[in-house]
Amino acid sequence: MPKSLFWTRTDTAGSEHAVFDDGQGLAARGTMLAVDPIPWTARYRLATAPDWTTTRFEIEVEGSGWLRSVRLERAVDRWRVTTAEQGDLDAALAAAGHPPAGLPGTDDPDRLSDALDVDLGGSPLLNAPPVHRLGLTSGPADVPRRITVAWVLVPSLAVVPAEQTYTSLGPGRVRFASDSFTADIEVDSDGYVLRYPGLAERAAPL
């Protein structure tokens, strides 16, 4: 993997480090850490087609006394979702005074059929595929592009369809919107997040 990026979370104590190759689509491996709602570490792998549509996403999340994993694979117009769980995340959440997370994955993969991208909660890297795929770093400004994503929540690893809108605001700026949430994201010329207000900032190498 010839490239590497590191982000520091600004909404909680945490970070993300990704190594990747974007010569023919995107192939990436990443690690995320956070303390909210309880401490957890996630390790993921992402693969896209040359047009940057996601074809495979795998993630494993681990905390004290529990581990969950989800694998999403796209074939034709359908996602296959595979899950596994060891220990009891809900018990760990209850012990910390938080509500249960529910089960990982989805009980109806057909609800994801329109999704061409995977979004991972708290991950700046996962904004890059739709930004690149939609040509937002060089396309016309103020043209909203609406997409459906397979949204993977952490640490539960529940997978739900989500409607999102990306709008280029000119060089280096992209507006992200989903339901009532909106953020104006700063990106570099390749579409990778520099600053995501309220979520993360990219750390410059020493």
Side-chain angles (χ1 to χ4, degrees):
M1 296 291 183
K3 298 183 179 181
S4 171
L5 294 174
F6 189 98
W7 292 270
T8 300
R9 293 281 291 268
T10 56
D11 60 335
T12 187
S15 61
E16 177 178 7
H17 176 225
V19 292
F20 58 95
D21 186 337
D22 56 5
Q24 295 289 329
L26 182 63
R29 296 193 303 268
T31 301
M32 297 173 63
L33 303 96
V35 299
D36 186 24
I38 57 176
W40 53 265
T41 299
R43 301 171 185 86
Y44 65 79
R45 289 176 177 264
L46 170 73
T48 78
D51 66 356
W52 287 65
T53 57
T54 299
T55 57
R56 184 183 180 98
F57 181 76
E58 304 175 57
I59 182 169
E60 179 181 271
V61 181
E62 184 174 13
S64 178
W66 60 274
L67 182 149
R68 288 185 171 192
S69 64
V70 163
R71 182 171 69 247
L72 292 88
E73 300 170 285
R74 184 174 178 84
V76 191
D77 293 323
R78 194 173 192 276
W79 287 95
R80 182 170 67 176
V81 182
T82 307
T83 67
E85 180 176 20
Q86 301 174 31
D88 193 336
L89 169 58
D90 283 346
L93 288 168
H98 298 291
L103 297 175
T106 176
D107 57 1
D108 185 5
D110 287 338
R111 295 179 62 211
L112 308 173
S113 60
D114 292 335
L116 299 179
D117 307 281
V118 171
D119 190 12
L120 175 62
S123 169
L125 181 78
L126 270 290
N127 291 107
V131 169
H132 193 102
R133 182 174 64 80
L134 298 172
L136 298 180
T137 59
S138 58
D142 300 321
V143 179
R145 303 291 298 275
R146 293 177 177 83
I147 62 173
T148 300
V149 303
W151 184 26
V152 181
L153 284 65
V154 285
S156 71
L157 298 190
V159 182
V160 297
E163 302 296 322
Q164 299 180 349
T165 301
Y166 282 84
T167 307
S168 172
L169 300 178
R173 296 178 64 232
V174 173
R175 176 165 293 160
F176 170 87
S178 183
D179 293 329
S180 60
F181 176 81
T182 301
D184 290 351
I185 305 171
E186 296 176 22
V187 299
D188 64 19
S189 59
D190 294 318
Y192 297 106
V193 170
L194 293 168
R195 180 174 176 269
Y196 192 130
L199 179 68
E201 293 184 356
R202 201 158 91 193
L206 298 176

